Amino acid sequence: MAHTVISAKYPPQIDPSRTPFAFGDRALPRLNRELNDDTLLTRQRAVMSLCDYLHDPEHIATALREGIATSLKQLLTDPDITVRQKSTECLYVIAGHAIGRDSFLDEEIIVPLSKLFDDSEDIARKNAHKALEQISETPPGAEGIVNAKLIPKLVEKLKTEHDEIKELILDSLHFCMRVNTEDALTSQGMEVFTDLLRHESEVIRAKAARDIMDLSVPLAGKDKAVEVKCVPILVELLKDANCDVRANAAGAIMTITITTKGKYTALEADAIPPLVELVDDPTSEVRLNALKALTCLSEAPEGRAMLLEHVEKIEKRTKDNIPAVVKSAQIAVKVITWKP
């Protein structure tokens, strides 16, 4: 005779780690209640379900109106790593939308999120930095990060974090330095970026050179670049195999050599030969930045004397297929061949 077997297993379509969704417009109110529940398992299930739910862009605005951002902000201090990890992931997804970035500022989430920069779990820190990088991409978001006094902490984290997170921090600082460079300068940003120029990762080298270019926009940044001796390293990177590294290194040299001190520092580092080689680089951004850097160096008599030997090569770029490169080549030739 057959006997009934009672199984303790869930059916295959049921995931015990997620809260089942309520029907229709009751889904978010229920999730929001459960995010604030005293029972850990309930919070875990709710935040896991919410993370999946928010990956549909159509749900972002409704979730924000329901007050989900406020609940996630509170969960950032939850003692459970799963809750913190999924909360930061939810916030990262929200930060990928304009309305979400606005809510970060309205709900003052930036500072609580930054507390997770010191979290013991790598994934929580990474998600927090991913969310912050998304916020920094807009001027109000970058200003919010600057006003929260997070630049010194971000620079400090570049010394110790994993490479994946370093890339995110370098991007965040890139956008923030469009708003304010003073904080990065006073927190030894130039020294840290210079150290990263020798990093084994070509992505980090490229982003470090780009951030040096950003930080060298003010006069104090140009002087600091000369002081910390980053120009010789940038000259070495002009021969890097990666085109982004070459482009950003040439761009940084271009920015630093606007000053007389910067010009002569680059000339001492023998920057002209590799820059002349980059005039024929297959990447247009590299050609453009190299021509602009050579124009700056030709404003020094010694630089002009050296570049007179390469006028024909530079002049060929006046027939480049990129209009910006053509214009820069024309200006370079004009400056190099100028006579008093």
Side-chain angles (χ1 to χ4, degrees):
M1 180 178 175
H3 294 278
T4 303
V5 177
I6 300 175
S7 174
K9 294 183 178 180
Y10 288 104
Q13 71 271 23
I14 299 298
D15 186 345
S17 69
R18 287 169 172 76
T19 295
F21 285 115
F23 181 76
D25 60 3
R26 301 307 303 158
L28 281 169
R30 176 181 171 179
L31 280 177
N32 201 19
R33 285 197 307 272
E34 294 181 348
L35 288 174
N36 295 283
D37 198 280
D38 291 336
T39 305
L40 172 59
L41 184 58
T42 303
R43 295 199 305 277
Q44 287 177 332
R45 288 175 171 175
V47 76
M48 294 282 284
S49 296
L50 177 65
C51 196
D52 290 342
Y53 192 76
L54 291 177
H55 275 83
D56 185 340
E58 294 182 1
H59 296 151
I60 299 294
T62 310
L64 293 175
R65 284 196 297 270
E66 190 61 39
I68 291 293
T70 303
S71 298
L72 290 172
K73 175 183 174 181
Q74 295 171 352
L75 291 180
L76 291 175
T77 57
D78 197 283
D80 181 68
I81 175 54
T82 301
V83 175
R84 296 198 308 276
Q85 173 190 338
K86 300 307 287 187
S87 297
T88 53
E89 186 175 341
C90 288
L91 288 170
Y92 160 63
V93 174
I94 290 172
H97 303 266
I99 190 173
R101 290 189 284 270
D102 291 340
S103 74
F104 264 71
L105 300 176
D106 295 339
E107 300 292 336
E108 299 181 340
I109 297 175
I110 291 176
V111 172
L113 183 68
S114 70
K115 303 296 183 185
L116 274 81
F117 294 170
D118 297 317
D119 198 277
S120 59
E121 294 294 329
D122 295 347
I123 187 63
R125 298 199 309 277
K126 181 180 178 181
N127 285 341
H129 281 290
K130 285 170 73 175
L132 194 79
E133 191 276 332
Q134 293 270 24
I135 297 302
S136 71
E137 291 183 13
T138 63
E143 191 172 342
I145 294 170
V146 171
N147 291 339
K149 306 296 182 185
L150 293 180
I151 303 302
K153 189 167 188 175
L154 289 171
V155 171
E156 188 64 27
K157 287 295 178 183
L158 281 175
K159 301 176 183 177
T160 57
E161 270 296 1
H162 299 301
D163 289 352
E164 285 181 69
I165 298 178
K166 282 179 182 176
E167 292 176 19
L168 294 167
I169 295 173
L170 287 167
D171 284 340
S172 297
L173 288 170
H174 165 61
F175 293 113
C176 288
M177 285 188 291
R178 293 180 176 181
V179 175
N180 178 296
T181 55
E182 185 177 345
D183 290 349
L185 275 173
T186 55
S187 56
Q188 297 187 323
M190 189 65 78
E191 290 89 334
V192 175
F193 298 153
T194 301
D195 287 341
L196 291 177
L197 290 177
R198 297 191 185 279
H199 198 280
E200 60 184 9
S201 165
E202 59 188 20
V203 175
I204 290 178
R205 292 199 303 273
K207 292 184 176 184
R210 177 201 59 192
D211 284 13
I212 287 175
M213 178 165 46
D214 296 331
L215 198 50
S216 299
V217 170
L219 177 59
K222 294 176 176 63
D223 290 342
K224 178 60 74 171
V226 172
E227 180 186 324
V228 302
K229 296 179 172 57
C230 79
V231 176
I233 307 174
L234 289 169
V235 172
E236 291 176 21
L237 292 182
L238 295 174
K239 299 177 182 178
D240 198 279
N242 182 271
C243 63
D244 290 332
V245 176
R246 297 196 303 273
N248 292 336
I253 292 171
M254 167 194 71
T255 308
I256 295 167
T257 53
I258 290 175
T259 64
T260 301
K261 189 188 297 184
K263 286 178 177 59
Y264 283 97
T265 301
L267 289 172
E268 288 172 9
D270 204 21
I272 286 181
L275 283 170
V276 170
E277 288 299 314
L278 294 184
V279 166
D280 293 327
D281 195 274
T283 305
S284 61
E285 186 181 358
V286 177
R287 299 197 301 275
L288 180 64
N289 287 347
L291 285 166
K292 289 182 177 181
L294 288 171
T295 302
C296 289
L297 291 173
S298 67
E299 292 171 353
E302 295 86 346
R304 185 179 298 115
M306 292 179 65
L307 285 167
L308 282 171
E309 301 175 10
H310 305 286
V311 172
E312 289 185 12
K313 183 171 185 175
I314 295 171
E315 205 164 19
K316 290 178 183 177
R317 287 297 115 205
T318 59
K319 297 178 182 178
D320 199 278
N321 58 347
I322 304 296
V325 175
V326 171
K327 185 176 180 180
S328 294
Q330 290 170 341
I331 294 172
V333 171
K334 185 178 179 180
V335 175
I336 293 168
T337 58
W338 177 83
K339 293 181 180 180

